[in-house]
Amino acid sequence: MTYHTLILDARERLYEAGQGEQVAQLLMVELCRQKNINLYISMDEQANPEIEKQYLNAVADMEKGKPFAYVLGYEAFYGYDFIVNEDVLIPRPETEELVGLVLQMFDEHFDDRDHVKVFDVATGSGAIGITLALEEPRMDVIASDISKKALEVAKQNNAKMNTMVSFLCGDMLNPFIDRDLHCDICVCNPPYIPSEEKMERSVIEYEPHVALFGGEDGLKFYRDVFEKAHLVCNEHAILAFEMGYNQKEALMTLARQYFPQARIQVHKDMSQKNRMLTIEL
């Protein structure tokens, strides 16, 4: 079969499976790129047998609902390709905006410093902490996660990107508290989906639930961090979180209870949805 024929067939199958048509070509582009084949020049040529086999297996997986990033084994984030598998959440575009916000606040508050200690709490694939370290070498990043399997993926990404992020295994801030570590910036994309909220089948069946659900109201892990933040945060530290678009009032109220003197802000993403919370101590 030619590359073109394979793509046409896959488009039909994926459309019927509710996955959309575009992904059929994107998948082939990526598989060809890995073997330095220019798909657009080779479209009507006989497909490389290895690529054909990979492609057909991947299409079959996506027909069952497996997310595109898990099929490929990586996801683009802030211009970098991060290894992902079913042990970690797939990094989202909204989280790129959290990284951008943290970098902006670094410039505003710490630009005169040679070293700034940053904690990336609930790191998953390591996307936030590793990207911060790549974009701002003055950030000394330590990342934590409760999942040993997730940390293995994060360490692979750390090695792949040649960054010097350190990793700790434990629940939220506990591993930092246990080691008496302190930070200037604490960034966290916690699980914030309420337990009963309905999700897409591909998310529920493939992505790790420990990285998705934040208790009955979705705020469990914010409470955990707010309650213990004074044990790890240096004077004038900043906390930055991703949040659900509909959690503004609940999170602002909760944050004011714990940080009555702090500057607390909710920031909108590019879609004008409330997506990030910052607390300046």
Side-chain angles (χ1 to χ4, degrees):
M1 294 177 79
T2 65
Y3 293 106
H4 191 207
T5 308
L6 283 166
I7 292 167
L8 289 176
D9 180 56
R11 273 184 185 167
E12 190 92 18
R13 290 168 61 185
L14 293 173
Y15 177 76
E16 286 179 12
Q19 293 280 49
E21 303 171 69
Q22 305 252 343
V23 73
Q25 189 151 328
L26 286 173
L27 173 63
M28 187 63 87
V29 168
E30 286 299 306
L31 293 179
C32 287
R33 184 173 70 90
Q34 291 170 18
K35 290 197 177 293
N36 294 317
I37 294 171
N38 185 324
L39 175 63
Y40 299 104
I41 293 173
S42 311
M43 189 69 85
D44 293 316
E45 294 177 7
Q46 188 81 16
N48 174 297
E50 192 178 335
I51 289 178
E52 181 174 348
K53 183 180 178 183
Q54 280 182 283
Y55 187 75
L56 292 173
N57 287 339
V59 169
D61 283 341
M62 285 191 290
E63 280 184 299
K64 297 172 191 165
K66 189 169 185 176
F68 185 48
Y70 289 156
V71 168
L72 279 183
Y74 57 89
E75 175 70 9
F77 182 86
Y78 221 86
Y80 306 101
D81 285 344
F82 279 85
I83 297 163
V84 292
N85 61 28
E86 290 171 41
D87 295 322
V88 297
L89 201 66
I90 299 166
R92 265 61 172 184
E94 296 87 353
T95 310
E96 293 178 312
E97 296 190 56
L98 176 63
V99 168
L101 178 62
V102 171
L103 290 167
Q104 177 190 322
M105 296 186 79
F106 173 92
D107 289 341
E108 292 169 1
H109 293 266
F110 302 108
D111 203 36
D112 58 343
R113 300 261 297 271
D114 289 333
H115 291 279
V116 172
K117 187 70 75 179
V118 178
F119 293 169
D120 173 19
V121 180
T123 191
S125 65
I128 293 175
I130 291 170
T131 301
L132 289 172
L134 287 165
E135 294 291 314
E136 180 46 78
R138 289 176 291 169
M139 288 187 178
D140 300 327
V141 181
I142 306 176
S144 71
D145 204 284
I146 196 169
S147 165
K148 290 180 181 177
K149 288 183 176 180
L151 286 176
E152 284 306 310
V153 177
K155 288 173 184 176
Q156 288 176 44
N157 282 315
N158 193 42
K160 177 186 176 187
M161 309 291 184
N162 199 28
T163 42
M164 300 294 291
V165 175
S166 302
F167 296 94
L168 302 173
C169 188
D171 189 16
M172 303 309 284
L173 292 182
N174 289 345
F176 303 101
I177 295 166
D178 292 344
R179 293 164 178 81
D180 195 27
L181 299 173
H182 298 84
C183 67
D184 304 297
I185 298 173
C186 177
V187 59
C188 180
N189 179 15
Y192 56 74
I193 298 166
S195 311
E196 300 305 315
E197 188 166 313
K198 289 193 177 354
M199 302 287 295
E200 290 179 28
R201 184 170 67 90
S202 64
V203 174
I204 291 295
E205 290 185 4
Y206 288 94
E207 300 201 54
H209 289 196
V210 69
L212 289 169
F213 297 107
E216 196 172 317
D217 61 358
L219 304 183
K220 172 183 175 357
F221 297 105
Y222 297 98
R223 286 191 194 90
D224 287 358
V225 175
F226 292 175
E227 187 179 317
K228 298 172 183 174
H230 68 283
L231 298 172
V232 301
C233 286
N234 291 328
E235 192 177 4
H236 305 307
I238 293 169
L239 296 103
F241 302 85
E242 188 172 317
M243 56 180 271
Y245 71 92
N246 57 354
Q247 293 175 324
K248 177 181 177 179
E249 297 307 323
L251 264 182
M252 291 280 280
T253 300
L254 188 63
R256 287 193 193 104
Q257 290 173 15
Y258 286 94
F259 311 103
Q261 306 303 317
R263 185 184 188 205
I264 302 164
Q265 292 179 279
V266 166
H267 308 259
K268 293 184 184 296
D269 64 15
M270 285 190 287
S271 302
Q272 295 306 300
K273 291 182 178 179
N274 296 316
R275 187 58 71 181
M276 295 156 281
L277 173 81
T278 57
I279 302 168
E280 298 168 61
L281 301 180

